[in-house]
Amino acid sequence: MTLTTVPTAVVSASPLRPMPAVPGRVTGAHALMDALHRHGVEHIFGYPGGAILPIYDALHQAESHGWLKHILVRHEQGGTHAADAYARATGRVGVCFGTSGPGATNLVTGIATAQMDSVPMVVITGQVGRASIGTDAFQETDIFGITLPIVKHSWVVRDPADIGRIVAEAFLIAATGRPGPVLIDVPKDVGLEEFDYMPVEPGSSVPAGYALPVAPDPVRIQQALELIRKARRPLLYVGGGAVSAGAHGALRRLAERFSLPVTTTLMGKGAFDERNPLAVGMLGMHGTAYANFAVTECDLLIAAGARFDDRVTGRLDSFAPRAQVIHIDIDAAEVGKNRVPEVPIVADVGLALDALLAASSDEPPTNRTEAWLERIRSWKLHYPLVIPEPVGEIAPQEVMLALQQLAPEAFVTTDVGQHQMWAAQFMNTPPRHWISSSGLGTMGYGLPAAMGVQVAFPGDQVVCVAGDASILMNIQELGTLSQYGLPVKVVIVNNGWQGMVRQWQESFYGERYSASEMTGGMPNFSALAEAFGVRGVDITDRNRLYQDLQEALAHPGPAVVNVQVRRNENCYPMVPPGASNAQMVGLPSHPELAIDTTRDCGSCGATTESAHLFCPSCGAKL
């Protein structure tokens, strides 16, 4: 997926400002703050408590020196999501703090979110004193053990002299290879203990057995180029690894050199300009029809930083059934996990794409894919994303189009559900401007994520697209927006349901709407926002949609915009569970353009379903 060395932004920030003289005799907490300073940390999201108070005392002194800003969140989960989004938007390691016991367990969902989406994050927790560990002391939990499956690595600091080394290793592991979260658990007495501190510089401590990624294999690069040159219906399938690697420039050049159409995953949005004629948008369960048709008909699939996730592939045995596969990924465990590639390239996506470009620098122009591109253009013409007629209540799609027009360069964070899919379908974002929980699908992610992005980029527009159900899961973070004057604009697409749950219940559960309606007990969102000191706006009239959104976006402080939309609008296209990507529902009927559902065996001539990889009559590979 991404980085091969510690990025410079991780190890350097603004010029260092005065700190207590080191090396020297300091407490463990002061050593920790110095180590974070050396790794370029400028912002920490957290919430204090008893076991972490020694660290917060040292943090107070760090803030007085001017190099650090702590953001007090209203719930520890909000701190993890803010640090996560800070990392996604900047490419730097995000940092969050939480105390022991319930403070630490409140971090778990955010850690799992970062792990699933490969986000570099250092989580630091307070712990009960060393002598009390294992005694069921007040606010003691084994957060080290609890989080083992959802971190890249973790430490319990038993000796303050280890702090410098542990922090250096934590940042290295979080940021290199396939990025991810790490955890440092610091017992309270470790933070208080004085010792002779020797700083450890960033990148200077590599854990035993930890191997940094290697350069792309030149043989594999040549094999990949041979397949690309032979392909008549190639498709670039781009995931979050291309974003993490900063590979958008190389990706565009490769696509244009070989006239390769490009589809992206939800994580990959922003890696390729969706206004480029080669773009076919997002693929998968709620992807565009033309992307799903293209992946079903392609003869070569070039996966770049993508992991063949089930929401992308649909029925795995019918995903790209006619294609040879080139799979580029930093994580060897992902290559061949769900689909065995003809050409595996285990390397940083950016370096691999650069190698492909260097090895094809004298590539002559060709029209080899022109017929394929024309077929895709025909699909785009006949199977566009559907925008309902502007009658009756406001359609959710209209909200997305209005936001795209009014805030085209904004950072966009989302919660999880129908509104997330509509935003993905209709909003085009620059690299690192699309911030969404994709792998874990964490409701409540959007608002604290927007907070983290706004802290990183105080002068930029940040819009959180939320649902009326998701927003309630972390709505307390409006208090954080208010306290720090963070000008995030939260746009609630309010249909009075857990929208995606309702759609599934309608489609697959006989319209039995069990526990999915949200109108009972729903707050007055604009009044609730005002109670936090945040501007609240209600929009119910289509004729006011653009004007009221424009005024809210122009407001200098935070704002919550509650848009009342159609109650029963469904998100289409949709690939039903167990279906192939070509079997979407919610499409206009064009039988003459439908992709072939059968094909003939070249060995025995028998006709079989196109999804089959082998002939059921003679066993030959199709």
Side-chain angles (χ1 to χ4, degrees), residues 495-515:
N495 60 9
W497 293 95
Q498 297 163 31
M500 192 61 80
V501 173
R502 185 206 59 77
Q503 180 169 337
W504 277 58
Q505 288 173 332
E506 176 188 307
S507 301
F508 311 120
Y509 293 90
E511 301 184 18
R512 294 182 294 276
Y513 301 116
S514 175

Side-chain angles (χ1 to χ4, degrees), residues 49 109 131 169 213 218 241 286 298 326 330 334 371 420 498 514 569 577 585 607:
T109 297
E169 291 179 358
H286 290 284
C298 69
I326 300 166
I330 194 75
E334 290 293 346
Q420 177 189 31
Q498 297 163 31
S514 175
E569 184 72 22
V585 295
T607 299

Side-chain angles (χ1 to χ4, degrees), residues 266 269 412 414 420 423-424 427 429-430 432-436 438:
L266 187 62
K269 272 188 68 69
V412 177
T414 77
Q420 177 189 31
M427 299 187 73
T429 57
R432 291 195 180 277
H433 281 55
W434 171 260
I435 314 288
S436 187
S438 303

Side-chain angles (χ1 to χ4, degrees), residues 153-516:
H153 199 66
S154 49
W155 299 260
V156 177
V157 183
R158 304 282 182 173
D159 185 342
D162 293 333
I163 286 176
R165 172 186 59 81
I166 287 173
V167 170
E169 291 179 358
F171 276 80
L172 178 74
I173 292 172
T176 57
R178 180 177 181 169
V182 298
L183 174 84
I184 304 173
D185 196 31
V186 185
K188 185 173 184 177
D189 57 333
V190 170
L192 291 168
E193 184 176 330
E194 290 190 353
F195 73 107
D196 294 320
Y197 172 53
M198 290 299 297
V200 178
E201 294 305 320
S204 64
S205 181
V206 180
Y210 186 76
L212 292 171
V214 297
D217 183 345
V219 174
R220 296 298 191 190
I221 294 297
Q222 288 301 324
Q223 291 173 343
L225 282 174
E226 288 174 15
L227 292 185
I228 293 171
R229 288 172 176 138
K230 291 177 183 176
R232 294 296 182 270
R233 301 188 307 278
L235 182 66
L236 260 169
Y237 154 46
V238 179
V243 177
S244 297
H248 45 280
L251 180 68
R252 177 186 55 77
R253 292 191 294 275
L254 185 72
E256 292 177 349
R257 178 171 296 176
F258 290 98
S259 296
L260 305 172
V262 180
T263 183
T264 59
T265 67
L266 187 62
M267 281 290 296
K269 272 188 68 69
F272 192 78
D273 187 348
E274 294 179 69
R275 296 164 295 186
N276 189 305
L278 292 170
V280 294
M282 184 178 72
L283 82 167
M285 180 171 282
H286 290 284
T288 65
Y290 32 94
N292 284 332
F293 285 152
V295 78
T296 305
E297 283 217 338
C298 69
D299 63 4
L300 176 66
L301 187 66
I302 308 162
R307 59 186 181 90
F308 294 83
D309 173 74
D310 60 294
R311 287 298 174 101
V312 164
T313 64
R315 205 177 82 201
L316 190 58
D317 64 357
S318 64
F319 182 70
R322 311 174 186 190
Q324 293 181 293
V325 174
I326 300 166
H327 192 176
I328 307 168
D329 203 287
I330 194 75
D331 185 359
E334 290 293 346
V335 178
K337 184 177 78 174
N338 293 325
R339 176 71 177 263
V340 178
E342 277 68 25
V343 179
I345 301 176
V346 178
D348 174 276
V349 171
L351 295 181
L353 295 180
D354 286 342
L356 288 169
L357 287 167
S360 62
S361 57
D362 56 352
E363 194 72 21
T366 177
N367 62 355
R368 185 171 52 245
T369 65
E370 185 51 43
W372 173 232
L373 293 175
E374 182 55 39
R375 183 152 173 76
I376 292 173
R377 283 192 287 269
S378 178
W379 286 330
K380 287 183 176 181
L381 177 65
H382 290 88
Y383 297 101
L385 291 168
V386 175
I387 304 168
E389 290 295 319
V391 293
E393 293 178 301
I394 299 169
Q397 298 92 326
E398 294 178 81
V399 181
M400 305 307 160
L401 290 172
L403 286 172
Q404 177 64 41
Q405 181 176 332
L406 294 169
E409 300 299 318
F411 286 90
V412 177
T413 74
T414 77
D415 270 317
V416 170
Q418 286 178 315
H419 63 277
Q420 177 189 31
M421 296 297 105
W422 281 313
Q425 289 175 342
F426 290 98
M427 299 187 73
N428 304 324
T429 57
R432 291 195 180 277
H433 281 55
W434 171 260
I435 314 288
S436 187
S437 171
S438 303
L440 199 64
T442 305
M443 292 175 69
Y445 176 82
L447 172 53
M451 208 162 66
V453 175
Q454 194 73 81
V455 168
F457 297 97
D460 288 22
Q461 181 85 73
V462 180
V463 175
C464 167
V465 178
D468 54 283
S470 283
I471 191 67
L472 289 172
M473 291 200 171
N474 271 314
I475 200 163
Q476 76 285 340
E477 298 306 330
L478 289 177
T480 310
L481 296 187
S482 180
Q483 178 179 349
Y484 296 98
L486 300 173
V488 168
K489 307 304 185 289
V490 181
V491 179
I492 301 173
V493 182
N494 188 343
N495 60 9
W497 293 95
Q498 297 163 31
M500 192 61 80
V501 173
R502 185 206 59 77
Q503 180 169 337
W504 277 58
Q505 288 173 332
E506 176 188 307
S507 301
F508 311 120
Y509 293 90
E511 301 184 18
R512 294 182 294 276
Y513 301 116
S514 175
S516 55

Side-chain angles (χ1 to χ4, degrees), residues 56-228:
Y56 266 83
D57 190 50
L59 182 150
H60 177 75
Q61 295 183 45
E63 283 196 291
S64 72
H65 286 282
W67 63 266
L68 178 69
K69 178 68 175 176
H70 176 266
I71 306 299
L72 174 63
V73 296
R74 268 47 182 178
H75 189 284
E76 290 89 353
Q77 183 180 339
T80 56
H81 294 329
D84 167 313
Y86 183 97
R88 296 189 202 221
T90 64
R92 298 169 59 183
V93 176
V95 180
C96 61
F97 282 0
T99 194
S100 65
T105 56
N106 282 343
L107 300 167
V108 170
T109 297
I111 297 171
T113 301
Q115 173 75 352
M116 285 289 282
D117 288 350
S118 304
V119 178
M121 188 164 74
V122 172
V123 180
I124 297 174
T125 52
Q127 184 55 276
V128 299
R130 286 168 287 187
S132 297
I133 292 176
T135 67
D136 293 330
F138 177 69
Q139 291 195 333
E140 180 194 358
T141 56
D142 178 14
I143 195 62
F144 176 91
I146 289 169
T147 57
L148 275 176
I150 54 170
V151 294
K152 284 187 74 175
H153 199 66
S154 49
W155 299 260
V156 177
V157 183
R158 304 282 182 173
D159 185 342
D162 293 333
I163 286 176
R165 172 186 59 81
I166 287 173
V167 170
E169 291 179 358
F171 276 80
L172 178 74
I173 292 172
T176 57
R178 180 177 181 169
V182 298
L183 174 84
I184 304 173
D185 196 31
V186 185
K188 185 173 184 177
D189 57 333
V190 170
L192 291 168
E193 184 176 330
E194 290 190 353
F195 73 107
D196 294 320
Y197 172 53
M198 290 299 297
V200 178
E201 294 305 320
S204 64
S205 181
V206 180
Y210 186 76
L212 292 171
V214 297
D217 183 345
V219 174
R220 296 298 191 190
I221 294 297
Q222 288 301 324
Q223 291 173 343
L225 282 174
E226 288 174 15
L227 292 185
I228 293 171

